[in-house]
Amino acid sequence: MKVLKFSSDKLQKLTFVNVDPLDSFLSPSNFVSRLIVNTPNLVSFCYIGPALLSSRFSNMPSLDHARIHIINRDFPKNMEWELHAIATGFSHVKGLSLSADCVLFFCPIFRVIYRGSIHFGCLRVLNLDIDGNADHMEGLIVLLKASPKLEVLYIKFVDCWWKSVWVSTEMDVPCLSHHLRRIVITDFYDSEFSMEFIKFFLQNGKMLEKIEITQHKQKMNPQKLYALQSVQLASKEVYVSVVSHFPSGKIELLQFVYRKRGAVLWKRFAEKLKKTNRSMRDAALKSGVSFRGNKRKKLFHVLNPFRAPKKIKPFI
């Protein structure tokens, strides 16, 4: 089959899982030819599989959310068609989820192949998988510039290049200046690139209110986050919370408040509870309350923002 075409006026949801169950990707049973989607009333679209050649997505003005998950790292020679398909077919989408390879499509190194405009004028929520390197960061910036009304950004770090060099700079990004208020980061790596990543949003997010970080593989060094108080903050106040999950089941919550006059640090704890008390545990994470049986105790400590970072040492 050289062309697979979906054309329907009534179709509202389309999920295309182009992966063989017996193999991870690029199995002989995979569809690797041209995909054409023409569905004016489509609300939800999902594609999981290898990058296709000469794909085309058009006439989808009702699209509410879309997910494109490219699983192979060997890009086809004419991968500009993939970028063209994403940039033009999903221009009306309100929620967009892209895999790390898709983000790389938007990197300026690869964008020289595609000369067309990129614009997601209706996008409110963007969910991305990225690698911790300069190419993915440049691709992310292109996506941010193409999404002027973006309000929430979800980032998952798939991998991190520990020696990758990228330095944050101040720049004019419409969504950071007017709409983006919340950033949620999962599987965060404690590296210099990660600190520059946060610094970029602190420097440019004029409407930014919250940055939520979740860690499962390692513990964040609070002194590095504390040092970011020297950054020239773009907004009046930004809350940065770091939730660390430990094998023992304990959950540790660190919360920083960055202000133009300094940073304040709270350290709070929430312990693992039984499944029946899941709602109590969630409430504990939000309020900073630690539950032990029938007892409840609120633990927090406020540091003077002008004291030296060494004051954090007793809490590590």
Side-chain angles (χ1 to χ4, degrees):
M1 184 183 297
K2 295 182 179 180
V3 178
L4 179 59
K5 183 177 181 180
F6 294 90
S7 181
S8 171
D9 293 336
K10 296 182 179 180
L11 187 65
Q12 293 187 339
K13 296 182 180 181
L14 174 59
T15 298
F16 185 8
V17 182
N18 190 16
V19 180
D20 189 287
L22 302 180
D23 196 1
S24 57
F25 57 87
L26 295 183
S27 170
S29 62
N30 286 134
F31 175 78
V32 293
S33 300
R34 189 179 186 187
L35 175 65
I36 299 177
V37 179
N38 185 2
T39 50
N41 292 309
L42 195 69
V43 176
S44 173
F45 177 80
C46 176
Y47 174 80
I48 303 174
L52 302 179
L53 306 180
S54 306
S55 299
R56 181 162 59 87
F57 308 100
S58 61
N59 195 19
M60 296 190 292
S62 303
L63 194 62
D64 184 73
H65 55 276
R67 180 189 179 194
I68 307 295
H69 190 91
I70 304 299
I71 61 175
N72 63 293
R73 300 252 174 195
D74 297 326
F75 299 111
K77 292 182 179 180
N78 56 341
M79 68 179 182
E80 67 273 15
W81 286 101
E82 295 303 318
L83 178 56
H84 175 79
I86 297 173
T88 59
F90 302 106
S91 58
H92 295 91
V93 71
K94 298 178 180 64
L96 180 62
S97 178
L98 300 176
S99 66
D101 290 333
C102 290
V103 176
L104 195 58
F105 282 154
F106 292 90
C107 176
I109 295 177
F110 297 101
R111 271 204 63 214
V112 295
I113 305 174
Y114 174 62
R115 299 292 182 178
S117 61
I118 298 175
H119 186 69
F120 300 101
C122 300
L123 191 63
R124 298 292 191 277
V125 180
L126 182 60
N127 193 326
L128 303 176
D129 292 348
I130 68 171
D131 288 350
N133 61 65
D135 289 341
H136 280 79
M137 190 62 202
E138 295 297 333
L140 169 60
I141 292 175
V142 171
L143 284 167
L144 293 176
K145 290 182 177 180
S147 311
K149 297 182 180 180
L150 187 67
E151 297 175 358
V152 183
L153 176 63
Y154 291 90
I155 296 291
K156 180 179 180 181
F157 279 90
V158 179
D159 196 3
C160 183
W161 296 6
W162 296 99
K163 296 183 179 180
S164 179
V165 178
W166 182 83
V167 180
S168 171
T169 58
E170 295 184 15
M171 60 179 66
D172 184 18
V173 182
C175 69
L176 296 181
S177 299
H178 303 289
H179 296 284
L180 187 65
R181 299 179 183 276
R182 183 185 176 207
I183 301 174
V184 181
I185 307 172
T186 56
D187 291 342
F188 194 69
Y189 287 85
D190 188 356
S191 65
E192 292 186 9
F193 173 85
S194 301
M195 294 302 106
E196 292 294 325
F197 181 86
I198 296 178
K199 182 179 177 181
F200 171 78
F201 289 102
L202 293 178
Q203 284 181 318
N204 299 284
K206 296 180 180 179
M207 303 301 294
L208 187 62
E209 297 176 355
K210 295 180 180 180
I211 299 179
E212 303 170 23
I213 302 172
T214 302
Q215 290 187 299
H216 294 90
K217 299 179 181 179
Q218 60 176 306
K219 183 179 179 180
M220 172 68 70
N221 184 351
Q223 295 188 24
K224 292 183 178 180
L225 286 174
Y226 191 90
L228 292 178
Q229 66 175 311
S230 60
V231 174
Q232 185 65 33
L233 205 63
S235 63
K236 294 181 179 179
E237 186 175 82
V238 179
Y239 286 80
V240 178
S241 62
V242 182
V243 179
S244 301
H245 296 260
F246 297 93
S248 61
K250 186 179 73 172
I251 301 174
E252 181 180 289
L253 172 64
L254 289 174
Q255 186 173 21
F256 293 79
V257 182
Y258 294 93
R259 299 188 179 96
K260 289 193 174 182
R261 59 182 176 83
V264 182
L265 168 67
W266 282 270
K267 178 154 185 176
R268 305 174 180 175
F269 298 90
E271 295 183 354
K272 183 179 179 181
L273 304 175
K274 296 181 179 179
K275 293 183 178 179
T276 55
N277 293 331
R278 186 181 299 273
S279 59
M280 294 177 63
R281 183 184 63 187
D282 293 341
L285 286 175
K286 294 180 180 180
S287 63
V289 176
S290 178
F291 291 90
R292 291 185 178 180
N294 296 325
K295 296 182 179 180
R296 183 178 67 176
K297 186 177 181 181
K298 188 173 184 179
L299 303 175
F300 66 91
H301 188 81
V302 182
L303 293 182
N304 188 319
F306 300 103
R307 291 181 182 174
K310 64 182 181 180
K311 293 296 181 181
I312 302 178
K313 188 173 181 181
F315 298 93
I316 297 177

